[in-house]
Amino acid sequence: VERKCGIHYTKSIEIIIDKNGKYFINKDGQTNPIEIENLGALLQGVKEVTISGDKELKYQVIMDTVSKVKNAGVENLGINFYE
């Protein structure tokens, strides 16, 4: 399924949030920047998402992202933190 930005998504993707609060999507080894406002549309049809956030992010940023992912209908969700 092709989505905005010409990126193809299937069943599993990673959402990366850097220490500045910028969002990226990693699929098949390719990482592309995204706008959080487009996240719901980009996740249509995706079954599994891992959110990887910088350890210095505020907890609320992660929880807001979790809400958006769940509202998009994603069935399986994981959360990782990195330094």
Side-chain angles (χ1 to χ4, degrees), residues 13-61:
I13 63 168
E14 179 183 21
I15 299 169
I16 302 166
I17 312 168
D18 72 11
K19 65 182 177 181
N20 299 314
K22 294 188 188 232
Y23 285 77
F24 301 86
I25 285 188
N26 183 344
K27 172 68 177 131
D28 296 330
Q30 292 186 326
T31 303
N32 296 286
I34 62 163
E35 296 296 324
I36 188 65
E37 296 83 19
N38 298 330
L39 188 59
L42 292 169
L43 293 177
Q44 289 181 348
V46 173
K47 301 293 183 204
E48 183 176 289
V49 169
T50 300
I51 299 171
S52 296
D54 186 278
K55 69 176 181 103
E56 295 186 25
L57 280 174
K58 292 186 179 189
Y59 185 71
Q60 190 61 49
V61 173

